[in-house]
Amino acid sequence: MKKNSLLLLLLLPLSVISQEKVAAGGYGDMLYPYVHEYDQMLTYKIVVDYCPTSSMPARTATEVEDIMRRIDNLTRGIPKLVYLVGWQYRGHDTGYPAFDQVNKILKRPEDATALEGLRWVMRQGPKYNTRVSLHVNFSDCYFDDNPLGPLYKERDIIVRSGDGTYRQGYKWCEHMAYRASNYRNWYQETFKKLQIDPLFKMIPELASSGSLHPDAWYSTDDPYYSISEVQDCEAMREMTAYVRRKYNVDLTTEFDRRRPSNVDFVLFHPMLYHYGWDEDTPPDPLKVPSYFQTGGDAETWSSVQPTVHTKFFGENPMLEEYINKDSKTIPGGLQAFVTRTLPWYFLNRQLRNTFDGNTATFSGDINSSYPGKPVIKIGNDLIQDGDDVFIPALWRSSREIIAYSKTGYKLHSWKLPADWEGVRSVDIYRITQEGVQPRQRNVLISGGRALILSLGEDEGVSILPAGNDPSSNPVLPPSGKVVFTGYDDSTKGEWKARYGGEGWILAGGEEHVPGSVTVRYLNGADRVWSTTTHDVQALQKDSGMERIAAVRSAGTHEIIDIDFKDDKEHAISLYCLDWDRKGRWMVVDVIDARTRKLLDSRNLTGFEQGRYIKYRITGRVQLRLTNVWTERYKLSPDACFSGLFFDSVY
């Protein structure tokens, strides 16, 4: 007889039924900021073992380490995250839902167990600017090749159709996978007690990786128990929040398309391995910035045709297919990194301004178009022309440009960026899997910062000011410091009684900026709701009794660059107001202007009455205001602020 939801609840322990809801996924709910900045990391996979029946050769722990080393050389030390596939049982997608057995291929001669080999290779990652984590699966359940399968069947964690039959997934490695219910896996606590907690206990290094990748994580309804797909997604968010809050580990996954209407995992899952998986519901690049959710392989699942993201905003190619072709030579790996990851990384460092279907514009006078090939310019100066690339490596602490050509060229003129002004000559190094090799020294720069360069077929080079050490990449000191000192919801627009002792900026109105600071804006424009109002939330004008209701706003995001020239600590207060009560939801990040490191982050909702966010700042920092848009909450129209106030620190 078909069971119902009430009977399901009666079958669950009381402690589970009464547990607090922690990740509903609505207005104000998020797990951002994440452990990692995924839009500034090359994420890829290394397949340890596919399956005994596969023709793909298995890779030992030593071979995995060597692949990481060579990838690090090819990518000039860019921050990386690698997920190991097939580390468990007999290889890729075997042994689920259990995670308790390590594939014997990872055991080195000096290891007592395969587990020791796995833990060893995870510890090697930082030597190669790489965090090493695992590919797992929460959706598949095999009844016959692991100890948990029969228990999940007994506990009825398998999804059933209305007639009671088990819902099959696919057959892999001669075993049939059945679809596990996220809802029942979560609320019966098998996820916590039998999967995740034992996994982190077995592999302590996993917590240090800061990330875990449940691949092909499906949401599904369960007609037999009257569980909707929306409820199943809520359980997925609970699972995600549990791992993050207990272990400080992000959950990434393969895709986030084709969920139920008004459901997504923006601000819960920071990275999707196949970002453009579904052509019917493409992610909107002007609604979800890369630091909220990013991904790779942005072509759709059913086609290799370039998507909007591929053409105009870049994509991370993930490198797995190139390693699988030949893990010794990684054919095509350099081209994929330089022509795809490098532009993607560079564009992700900018603010997104506009997109009209033909051209995307970014901060820094950068534009991206696609006349049959990717083209990126700074002003009128090309930095990518299809498979010819000349792009700064912004993760390097010293100035460096990576140039590449697929077909090669002779005597091509490239213009060095503005911050290379004064560089008279450069050294050029060829990029190889064994590191950079000297190619040319003291190449003269022509007038107008022009470099005349010739490259061979499939050749990539690093270009540095002459005399710089290409192996040196010291950690840069921060440009500024910040201390969050609290919120103020009571002062409202009466700022003259409390703020602005050293100066102020009123959106749409007057400003008095102290001489010790320079304030610049990226994106945004003033918008005035009312030049004269008696609304107590509106800011007082500098003189008289009148008030102004105004904001400086941007649809996606904007930056306030604050640069104090002295070495003193200053108090600043940012006034945010949802004056027309549109239900704004905004994230206010403080980032280091030099390193882009996130220094502080505040999640802002419910500021219809006006809210001051208060900091103490030294040096130069940037306040990045981002509007939050998700499928779950679509009301917030923009990111905005109404005033900025400067005071002494006593």
Side-chain angles (χ1 to χ4, degrees):
M1 182 175 64
K2 181 176 178 181
K3 299 178 176 66
N4 57 35
S5 298
L6 176 61
L7 180 56
L8 169 63
L9 291 175
L10 292 175
L11 294 173
L12 298 179
L14 286 175
S15 61
V16 177
I17 297 172
S18 61
Q19 78 172 28
E20 182 183 358
K21 203 79 167 172
V22 295
Y27 179 57
D29 294 324
M30 54 188 269
L31 293 178
Y32 177 88
Y34 311 117
V35 178
H36 299 305
E37 292 184 279
Y38 291 84
D39 66 334
Q40 299 289 285
M41 299 180 79
L42 167 58
T43 305
Y44 69 106
K45 295 179 183 178
I46 296 177
V47 177
V48 173
D49 192 2
Y50 263 113
C51 181
T53 60
S54 172
S55 60
M56 184 73 67
R59 300 183 177 109
T60 67
T62 303
E63 289 172 326
V64 169
E65 184 204 25
D66 191 55
I67 292 171
M68 291 193 298
R69 177 187 66 84
R70 288 182 285 110
I71 290 291
D72 190 49
N73 286 331
L74 276 183
T75 60
R76 292 295 290 138
I78 194 172
K80 286 174 289 297
L81 172 64
V82 62
Y83 297 115
L84 303 184
V85 178
W87 61 273
Q88 82 294 333
Y89 282 78
R90 295 172 300 129
H92 179 269
D93 279 0
T94 65
Y96 298 133
F99 303 140
D100 63 339
Q101 188 179 117
V102 178
N103 193 323
K104 62 183 180 181
I105 193 66
L106 286 166
K107 181 182 178 298
R108 301 172 301 152
E110 58 267 44
D111 296 325
T113 64
L115 175 60
E116 287 186 15
L118 174 61
R119 294 181 61 188
W120 171 83
V121 80
M122 293 181 74
R123 293 193 296 270
Q124 304 315 298
K127 294 194 300 186
Y128 311 114
N129 301 291
T130 303
R131 299 294 186 103
V132 184
S133 186
L134 305 177
H135 165 292
V136 294
N137 189 305
F138 299 154
S139 293
D140 288 350
C141 183
Y142 298 91
F143 293 162
D144 55 356
D145 73 341
N146 71 96
L148 281 187
L151 177 63
Y152 273 49
K153 183 177 181 181
E154 177 185 336
R155 297 285 296 268
D156 221 8
I157 294 173
I158 313 304
V159 173
R160 294 193 190 208
S161 300
D163 61 3
T165 57
Y166 293 125
R167 188 171 296 173
Q168 294 181 348
Y170 54 86
K171 195 170 186 179
W172 179 262
C173 201
E174 301 178 347
H175 292 258
M176 176 57 67
Y178 295 88
R179 189 69 69 229
S181 165
N182 295 300
Y183 187 92
R184 293 180 61 72
N185 196 16
W186 171 251
Y187 284 107
Q188 291 204 40
E189 297 195 333
T190 45
F191 172 76
K192 291 190 289 188
K193 295 179 178 179
L194 301 181
Q195 286 188 301
I196 287 299
D197 290 350
L199 178 64
F200 278 87
K201 183 177 181 180
M202 181 176 77
I203 308 174
E205 290 79 5
L206 186 55
S208 299
S209 76
S211 190
L212 182 67
H213 183 72
D215 193 59
W217 198 4
Y218 296 100
S219 55
T220 182
D221 65 339
D222 193 340
Y224 192 67
Y225 285 107
S226 301
I227 298 169
S228 70
E229 190 174 354
V230 171
Q231 290 175 296
D232 203 58
C233 286
E234 290 175 358
M236 293 172 68
R237 281 194 289 274
E238 299 284 4
M239 296 157 77
T240 302
Y242 176 79
V243 176
R244 172 62 186 278
R245 288 168 178 159
K246 182 166 184 178
Y247 297 105
N248 198 33
V249 166
D250 300 320
L251 291 189
T252 66
T253 190
E254 188 173 4
F255 46 76
D256 190 23
R257 307 293 100 198
R258 295 182 183 174
R259 304 295 186 193
S261 178
N262 300 322
V263 172
D264 68 2
F265 288 86
V266 172
L267 297 171
F268 279 79
H269 294 162
M271 195 279 294
L272 307 177
Y273 208 77
H274 295 295
Y275 197 50
W277 182 71
D278 180 13
E279 60 269 38
D280 295 328
T281 57
D284 188 328
L286 288 189
K287 290 182 177 178
V288 182
S290 61
Y291 47 88
F292 277 1
Q293 191 176 76
T294 188
D297 286 338
E299 292 88 357
T300 62
W301 188 265
S302 60
S303 171
V304 295
Q305 293 301 312
T307 61
V308 164
H309 264 274
T310 312
K311 293 177 180 179
F312 303 100
F313 298 90
E315 65 165 346
N316 193 349
M318 307 305 209
L319 300 183
E320 180 182 3
E321 63 177 290
Y322 307 99
I323 297 170
N324 287 346
K325 287 178 183 177
D326 186 337
S327 62
K328 297 297 183 185
T329 62
I330 315 180
L334 177 62
Q335 177 190 344
F337 167 68
V338 179
T339 63
R340 295 163 67 189
T341 302
L342 181 61
W344 168 84
Y345 181 102
F346 178 81
L347 293 176
N348 287 346
R349 290 285 288 260
Q350 323 305 323
L351 293 183
R352 296 173 180 177
N353 290 348
T354 64
F355 176 58
D356 63 5
N358 296 305
T359 302
T361 66
F362 302 80
S363 56
D365 197 20
I366 295 164
N367 62 86
S368 173
S369 59
Y370 195 87
K373 60 182 177 180
V375 173
I376 303 175
K377 295 180 180 180
I378 302 177
N380 294 319
D381 302 324
L382 277 167
I383 61 172
Q384 180 172 16
D385 186 14
D387 291 323
D388 294 334
V389 171
F390 190 82
I391 295 180
L394 296 181
W395 64 92
R396 307 290 297 181
S397 54
S398 300
R399 287 172 293 184
E400 179 171 339
I401 290 171
I402 293 178
Y404 172 86
S405 180
K406 179 180 179 181
T407 59
Y409 52 71
K410 297 288 187 181
L411 303 177
H412 191 298
S413 179
W414 296 97
K415 189 172 183 179
L416 294 168
D419 64 348
W420 286 58
E421 187 70 53
V423 174
R424 297 291 176 255
S425 61
V426 298
D427 294 336
I428 301 175
Y429 296 84
R430 183 175 288 109
I431 299 171
T432 78
Q433 292 188 41
E434 298 304 318
V436 292
Q437 300 174 352
R439 183 179 184 270
Q440 293 171 276
R441 301 230 186 237
N442 293 310
V443 178
L444 294 178
I445 303 301
S446 305
R449 306 194 306 275
L451 171 63
I452 307 302
L453 183 65
S454 298
L455 290 179
E457 181 180 345
D458 192 34
E459 183 178 17
V461 296
S462 282
I463 301 165
L464 297 89
N468 283 20
D469 181 358
S471 64
S472 176
N473 192 29
V475 177
L476 291 174
S479 65
K481 299 177 182 178
V482 64
V483 176
F484 170 71
T485 58
Y487 297 112
D488 173 5
D489 288 348
S490 62
T491 300
K492 299 181 172 53
E494 304 280 341
W495 64 271
K496 287 189 285 187
R498 186 165 182 180
Y499 299 106
E502 290 192 343
W504 63 87
I505 297 173
L506 305 182
E510 308 118 325
E511 65 176 51
H512 175 70
V513 180
S516 61
V517 64
T518 300
V519 179
R520 305 179 186 88
Y521 301 111
L522 282 76
N523 273 14
D526 282 354
R527 181 158 64 93
V528 178
W529 287 305
S530 177
T531 57
T532 303
T533 178
H534 297 292
D535 193 318
V536 296
Q537 287 80 36
L539 289 171
Q540 296 168 320
K541 293 183 179 180
D542 177 34
S543 58
M545 301 299 293
E546 294 182 340
R547 298 172 183 265
I548 181 171
V551 290
R552 184 176 180 91
S553 67
T556 305
H557 46 191
E558 59 180 316
I559 277 180
I560 312 167
D561 187 300
I562 303 172
D563 187 2
F564 286 102
K565 303 301 182 182
D566 54 31
D567 58 358
K568 298 179 181 179
E569 190 176 48
H570 299 264
I572 73 159
S573 304
L574 182 74
Y575 186 63
C576 300
L577 175 63
D578 184 10
W579 189 78
D580 53 356
R581 291 159 176 77
K582 291 289 183 66
R584 284 176 171 81
W585 178 5
M586 185 168 64
V587 169
V588 180
D589 293 323
V590 184
I591 56 179
D592 186 88
R594 178 180 293 132
T595 65
R596 195 185 178 272
K597 180 180 179 182
L598 184 62
L599 304 176
D600 186 82
S601 184
R602 301 292 146 184
N603 182 16
L604 203 63
T605 59
F607 50 103
E608 298 86 356
Q609 300 302 312
R611 179 172 300 155
Y612 295 85
I613 312 176
K614 301 186 295 181
Y615 307 94
R616 294 199 307 269
I617 287 176
T618 307
R620 182 185 175 193
V621 300
Q622 295 178 334
L623 304 185
R624 182 176 65 194
L625 284 58
T626 307
N627 183 51
V628 177
W629 183 97
T630 75
E631 291 288 346
R632 311 182 306 275
Y633 187 81
K634 305 176 183 179
L635 297 180
S636 188
D638 53 32
C640 64
F641 74 98
S642 294
L644 183 65
F645 302 93
F646 304 89
D647 289 279
S648 299
V649 175
Y650 298 102

